[in-house]
Amino acid sequence: MIEPIKRIDLNRLFESHREEYLDAIAKACDAGSFSGGIYADKFDEEFATYCGVAAATGVNNGTSALHCAMMALGIGIGDEVIVPANTFIATAWGPTYAGATPVFVDCTSDTWELDANKIEDAVTKKTKAIIGVHLYGQPFDVDEVTKIAKCYGLHVVEDCAQAHGALYKGRKTGGLVDIGCFSFYPGKNLCCFGEGGSVTSDYWPYIEHIIRLKNHGSDIRYHHDEIGYNMRLEGIQGAVLSVSLKYLDAWTAKRRTIGKRYDREIINPYITLQRHPDNTETVYHLYVVTVPDRDAFLRHMDSKGIMCDMHYPIPCHLQKAYSFLNYKRGDCPNAEYLAEHCCSLPMFPELREDEIERVIEACNSFRM
Ligand SMILES: Cc1ncc(COP(=O)(O)O)c(C=O)c1O
């Protein structure tokens, strides 16, 4: 029987640095530094340096990072925030938790990122911000989105959950717009062993506000100046992340080697790849393709022992949770096409040479 190839294999990541991770966890335990604390703070500094931003503050997950970003920008009830229809739902949870309404805008038909040309039609008097997502690891069209935002006096937030270290015009994500929001969920390019996230910015007052918000609205113990939350990054996750960060660039290089091979060697008229604009350097978080008959493709890959996934099978505007917003099929046709035809191939740094070749061979032998 052929050995199955997983879409992602976190065991290989842990095993490749087992001792170092266990040592880091033990140190956080020995220090009794569990909620925030020295290891979380140390990681904040390292991550801010890595992203090339003035400051970063760790939070308990990427969804909280987006929620905090909205609150720091003063976004709340009655406001609207533009969000791509093709993203993980958490991008929309941020504005929703803050009391605002997400307004979904379609993606382009080839990069699959937020379509800057469709943003202006969605702007109203209530619009306060645009959240762009560096989807699948590839930066969105930051300059175009920022240009429109400037015209209408809007904030821009980048959802970097899938794009740690990705480059737009040579600049790293996290410092490209007003606020960057990261997730360290297991499986992300930079991941911890549980839940974690970070908010980055070059504007210190945003970070200062988020440090208070995530800590029960408090700067001084037991003095609560505003309604706050418990959204701190755990110390153990900070310690794990400091280890992971040391290897991030090496992992990214491996993802790029695999991704570029897929880009070059998957040659099949039935399979469409994501377009990578010249001014971006993707970090290949996910390797997503589209196929006209996804069910047939998934059966074919399964028969070859290759496990695939879908990111994402239902676009945000058609999710039941947002049915009260009255979107309908046809509102975001590119996102809807993707939802029905997308398929994610195995992609993680520890994929072996023979496995990469098997994935390419399986893709190229698919017929309809
Ligand atoms: C694009 C995007 N935004 C936000 C999130 C939310 O991050 P988390 O799962 O850490 O809350 C994720 C992660 O799953 C994501 O992929």
Side-chain angles (χ1 to χ4, degrees), residues 61-63 66 87-88 90-91 133 159 161-162 183 185 188 196 312:
N61 56 56
T63 309
L66 288 152
T87 180
F88 180 59
T91 312
V133 182
D159 182 338
Q162 305 187 355
S183 164
Y185 181 78
K188 298 294 190 224
Y312 297 93

Side-chain angles (χ1 to χ4, degrees), residues 176-192:
L176 297 171
V177 296
D178 294 318
I179 298 183
C181 299
F182 289 85
S183 164
F184 305 128
Y185 181 78
K188 298 294 190 224
N189 290 29
L190 179 65
C191 69
C192 58

Side-chain angles (χ1 to χ4, degrees), residues 157-178:
V157 169
E158 48 181 329
D159 182 338
C160 312
Q162 305 187 355
H164 317 70
L167 299 176
Y168 177 80
K169 296 191 174 172
R171 290 167 58 215
K172 270 193 191 144
T173 58
L176 297 171
V177 296
D178 294 318

Side-chain angles (χ1 to χ4, degrees), residues 39-296:
Y39 289 100
D41 292 349
K42 178 170 168 287
F43 172 70
D44 284 347
E45 279 185 27
E46 292 166 356
F47 194 56
T49 304
Y50 180 83
C51 295
V53 290
T57 189
V59 288
N60 56 346
N61 56 56
T63 309
S64 294
L66 288 152
H67 182 189
C68 284
M70 294 295 108
M71 291 189 288
L73 294 173
I75 289 164
I77 294 167
D79 295 334
E80 291 178 356
V81 176
I82 288 170
V83 172
N86 178 39
T87 180
F88 180 59
I89 195 73
T91 312
W93 291 155
T96 305
Y97 293 169
T101 303
V103 175
F104 296 108
V105 168
D106 205 3
C107 58
T108 73
S109 60
D110 56 1
T111 65
W112 306 334
E113 313 273 1
L114 177 63
D115 188 343
N117 292 319
K118 292 185 181 147
I119 291 177
E120 282 191 276
D121 285 347
V123 174
T124 71
K125 285 197 176 69
K126 296 178 182 169
T127 312
K128 289 289 179 317
I130 303 168
I131 307 181
V133 182
H134 304 306
L135 198 69
Y136 312 143
Q138 176 169 289
F140 64 89
D141 196 348
V142 175
D143 281 359
E144 278 308 304
V145 170
T146 306
K147 211 190 301 169
I148 296 162
K150 278 210 177 110
C151 275
Y152 293 92
L154 310 176
H155 293 293
V156 184
V157 169
E158 48 181 329
D159 182 338
C160 312
Q162 305 187 355
H164 317 70
L167 299 176
Y168 177 80
K169 296 191 174 172
R171 290 167 58 215
K172 270 193 191 144
T173 58
L176 297 171
V177 296
D178 294 318
I179 298 183
C181 299
F182 289 85
S183 164
F184 305 128
Y185 181 78
K188 298 294 190 224
N189 290 29
L190 179 65
C191 69
C192 58
F193 295 162
E195 305 284 344
S198 183
V199 187
T200 56
S201 184
D202 273 326
Y203 187 61
W204 171 243
Y206 291 148
I207 298 297
E208 195 175 34
H209 190 179
I210 291 168
I211 291 172
R212 190 183 320 128
L213 284 169
K214 74 173 185 182
N215 192 26
H216 296 288
S218 167
D219 290 326
I220 303 167
R221 209 163 181 220
Y222 302 130
H223 292 246
H224 305 279
D225 295 345
E226 62 181 308
I227 303 289
Y229 301 80
N230 178 356
M231 292 178 170
R232 292 171 297 237
L233 179 69
E234 292 183 354
I236 287 177
Q237 304 307 341
V240 165
L241 283 160
S242 287
V243 176
S244 296
L245 189 59
K246 286 202 280 179
Y247 298 104
L248 178 59
D249 284 343
W251 290 334
T252 298
K254 287 186 182 164
R255 285 179 183 272
R256 285 196 173 124
T257 303
I258 301 163
K260 284 187 174 143
R261 279 200 63 188
Y262 285 174
D263 288 345
R264 267 194 323 268
E265 295 178 36
I266 296 177
I267 301 168
N268 183 332
Y270 298 117
I271 300 178
T272 303
L273 314 180
Q274 185 182 22
R275 184 173 76 80
H276 308 304
D278 289 342
N279 56 13
T280 64
E281 275 186 53
T282 173
V283 289
Y284 293 97
H285 170 58
L286 294 167
Y287 200 93
V288 176
V289 301
T290 62
V291 271
D293 186 343
R294 179 170 58 195
D295 288 345

